[in-house]
Amino acid sequence: MAGNDKPKTTGSDAARQYMDIYAQCRDMIHSHSCDVMNAPRDAAYDDFCRQGLPTRKVERYKYTDMAPLFAPDYGLNLNRLEIPVDPYEAFRCDVPNLSTSLYFVVNDAFYTKLQPKGHLPEGVIIGSLAEEAAKKPHLIGKYYSRIAKTDGDAITALNTMMAQDGLLVYVPKGTKVDRTVQVINILRSDVDLMANRRVLIIVEPEAEIKLLFCDHAVDDRKFLTTQVIEAYVGDNAGLDLYCLEETHAKNTRVSNLYIEQQANSRVNHNIITLHNGVTRNKTDLAFCGEGAECNLCGCVIADKQQHVDNNTLIDHRVPHCTSNELYKYVLDGHATGAFAGRMLVRHGAQKTVSQETNQNLCATKEARMYTQPMLEIYADDVKCAHGSTVGQLNDAAMFYMQQRGIPVKEAKLLLEFAFINEVIDQMQLAPLRDRLHYLVEKRFRGELNKCEGCNLCK
């Protein structure tokens, strides 16, 4: 090639390196995992070879081009070498009055050297997915890779064939975990690194748990993370799942979340993106039992060249279920946002109540927002609505505040803060809610430039 010209990487070129890695390192990958996680690997490999990396022609990936994200030659810790970091020393939780049981996942491996002193109720397991699956193969085997289908999503297939460990959260029948479980996902490496993280959450009937997942990067390296979360919520069970991303501009995160709800269960899921490079989140939730309810909320603050894409599917398969969905974006600089939400009401799912709302604020002319709310209804006795707005700051409100002596910059901050607060106020954890109000204000003021509470990058 002449000069600095480089050949453009196609989706097939980017996918080929992962096919070759698995083919060459299959035995190594298997030897450092467990039988339960190894069982679907070869089928996942076949599915990935058939699909390749998603292109923009794939409906659910049309707003994020996957090939350039996966093209770089990232390192992979397939031999499970020990990462030199003590996360308990590296990280200090900066959420006052939030009493949690604190655990860590370093890159894509559960940190086992030191466990929290806080006592979990009898039977509750928070631990290494690979280790626990080796101990309880029949229990974990019933759930692992059951709703995260590899034949319908190439990223899920890639994660399933490459992931060697991850996090298991298991809450037995009738058990309520009063104390919030906080899991810090730390990205740590001396070279550019790809991590393939797996999470399995099992909440049996009449059980309850609150989970807070926080993503942080502690090194100035390029990171690529694929993450697949499977969450099973039994009859009359409750799951609160809060996900906070606070990484840096060199981080790429591709996360697929699958949730299955049984009768009269309750799920609250909040996802907050405060700092990132490129983020693509997919959430698929299915109602499999009557009387279930879910609340999905998303909050995105992006500027510079950041890109955040949220794609959701709520599948009403049975009658008498309720879903509420609210996603809000504030985009500044040259940031790009995307939201696609599909609400599917199947034949026979009568008495469904569903509301989907996406509201977006573009603070500059260069910011771009793509939004696609969708309703697909095959039942006639339902209450369903959806809506989407994209706008800029209210000129009249800006003028009103300036007339009363509020500087332009402060007036802009107040309007953005008021706009995004509706999502934060949906959170049930009061200490986390209060802390996020503070972090969001700092983010809008440009004062939150790196991980809060991380000692390694200060």
Side-chain angles (χ1 to χ4, degrees):
M1 302 294 290
N4 294 322
D5 292 342
K6 295 182 179 179
K8 184 178 180 181
T9 302
T10 66
S12 58
D13 292 337
R16 173 56 57 186
Q17 64 175 322
Y18 298 101
M19 300 174 193
D20 292 343
I21 288 171
Y22 184 79
Q24 295 167 13
C25 303
R26 178 185 179 278
D27 291 343
M28 180 190 300
I29 293 171
H30 278 242
S31 66
H32 291 284
S33 189
C34 63
D35 290 344
V36 170
M37 298 185 71
N38 289 336
R41 279 192 206 283
D42 289 343
Y45 170 74
D46 292 339
D47 288 334
F48 183 72
C49 291
R50 176 178 53 81
Q51 298 173 82
L53 286 167
T55 68
R56 289 182 182 271
K57 293 181 180 179
V58 178
E59 177 66 22
R60 297 194 70 178
Y61 284 89
K62 67 181 180 180
Y63 298 119
T64 305
D65 192 357
M66 288 287 118
L69 304 180
F70 285 80
D73 185 15
Y74 290 97
L76 281 160
N77 188 14
L78 300 181
N79 212 25
R80 315 316 287 169
L81 300 177
E82 185 175 336
I83 304 298
V85 62
D86 181 351
Y88 287 92
E89 289 298 322
F91 185 86
R92 290 288 184 269
C93 179
D94 202 14
V95 184
N97 302 317
L98 180 62
S99 178
T100 66
S101 297
L102 184 61
Y103 298 85
F104 290 90
V105 174
V106 179
N107 297 330
D108 51 17
F110 184 79
Y111 187 78
T112 58
K113 285 191 174 180
L114 184 63
Q115 297 295 315
K117 295 180 180 179
H119 176 68
L120 291 172
E122 184 178 357
V124 175
I125 302 172
I126 311 291
S128 162
L129 177 56
E131 290 186 6
E132 295 298 334
K135 297 175 186 176
K136 301 176 176 61
H138 297 296
L139 172 64
I140 309 304
K142 288 193 303 182
Y143 296 98
Y144 183 76
S145 198
R146 182 165 66 80
I147 53 175
K149 302 292 187 183
T150 60
D151 58 356
D153 188 284
I155 302 302
T156 297
L158 175 61
N159 178 277
T160 302
M161 80 184 200
M162 299 298 290
Q164 295 169 281
D165 192 16
L167 173 71
L168 170 68
V169 177
Y170 171 72
V171 188
K173 182 178 179 179
T175 302
K176 296 184 179 180
V177 183
D178 295 326
R179 195 175 191 182
T180 302
V181 174
Q182 184 177 13
V183 179
I184 309 297
N185 297 312
I186 288 184
L187 293 171
R188 168 77 177 91
S189 179
D190 295 328
V191 299
D192 296 348
L193 183 74
M194 178 186 188
N196 297 288
R197 186 186 308 129
R198 195 69 177 225
V199 180
L200 178 61
I201 302 169
I202 305 168
V203 187
E204 292 194 337
E206 300 175 3
E208 293 182 7
I209 192 169
K210 296 183 286 292
L211 298 170
L212 170 60
F213 292 169
C214 302
D215 284 13
H216 295 274
V218 299
D219 287 300
D220 188 26
R221 295 289 182 179
K222 292 181 180 179
F223 291 100
L224 169 63
T225 303
T226 72
Q227 175 176 263
V228 171
I229 303 175
E230 294 179 279
Y232 299 86
V233 187
D235 294 347
N236 300 294
L239 170 65
D240 288 3
L241 177 59
Y242 305 94
C243 299
L244 172 63
E245 182 181 6
E246 205 178 343
T247 55
H248 57 52
K250 294 182 180 180
N251 188 67
T252 297
R253 164 191 156 111
V254 184
S255 177
N256 290 351
L257 166 64
Y258 300 88
I259 303 174
E260 182 181 274
Q261 288 189 239
Q262 299 300 330
N264 301 306
S265 62
R266 174 193 55 78
V267 168
N268 293 318
H269 175 49
N270 295 71
I271 186 164
I272 304 99
T273 305
L274 288 184
H275 261 300
N276 74 308
V278 177
T279 296
R280 203 272 177 177
N281 300 312
K282 185 181 88 166
T283 301
D284 285 6
L285 185 146
F287 289 115
C288 299
E290 295 187 21
E293 177 181 356
C294 79
N295 296 285
L296 303 185
C297 293
C299 163
V300 174
I301 301 172
D303 57 10
K304 301 181 180 69
Q305 304 291 332
Q306 294 169 344
H307 176 96
V308 184
D309 177 358
N310 283 291
N311 190 294
T312 69
L313 166 64
I314 299 180
D315 188 353
H316 286 263
R317 300 178 180 178
V318 295
H320 299 283
C321 292
T322 301
S323 64
N324 296 290
E325 189 170 7
L326 173 64
Y327 277 74
K328 286 195 171 189
Y329 289 61
V330 175
L331 305 176
D332 210 333
H334 290 79
T336 303
F339 171 81
R342 180 182 173 210
M343 203 77 68
L344 173 61
V345 182
R346 296 181 183 263
H347 291 285
Q350 306 294 357
K351 303 297 181 181
T352 289
V353 178
S354 179
Q355 174 67 47
E356 179 184 61
T357 304
N358 173 226
Q359 297 175 336
N360 311 286
L361 185 62
C362 292
T364 64
K365 293 181 179 180
E366 293 76 23
R368 293 289 181 268
M369 182 68 203
Y370 303 90
T371 178
Q372 187 183 17
M374 295 169 279
L375 283 179
E376 191 173 342
I377 303 173
Y378 299 98
D380 55 10
D381 187 7
V382 300
K383 293 181 181 179
C384 298
H386 72 306
S388 175
T389 60
V390 180
Q392 294 184 314
L393 293 171
N394 188 301
D395 290 336
M398 288 285 291
F399 178 77
Y400 177 87
M401 287 189 283
Q402 290 175 69
Q403 287 293 95
R404 279 147 184 81
I406 300 175
V408 174
K409 186 176 180 180
E410 191 71 16
K412 175 175 176 287
L413 183 148
L414 289 172
L415 289 176
E416 292 174 338
F417 192 57
F419 177 80
I420 213 74
N421 265 353
E422 183 182 358
V423 175
I424 299 174
D425 288 340
Q426 301 289 323
M427 296 191 173
Q428 303 298 313
L429 288 176
L432 177 61
R433 184 172 63 241
D434 296 341
R435 184 58 179 170
L436 280 172
H437 283 307
Y438 169 73
L439 292 178
V440 166
E441 181 179 352
K442 287 188 70 176
R443 179 70 172 90
F444 282 136
R445 292 185 185 278
E447 298 171 1
L448 189 61
N449 295 318
K450 44 195 171 184
C451 311
E452 283 287 307
C454 173
N455 294 334
L456 287 184
C457 59
K458 288 186 177 178

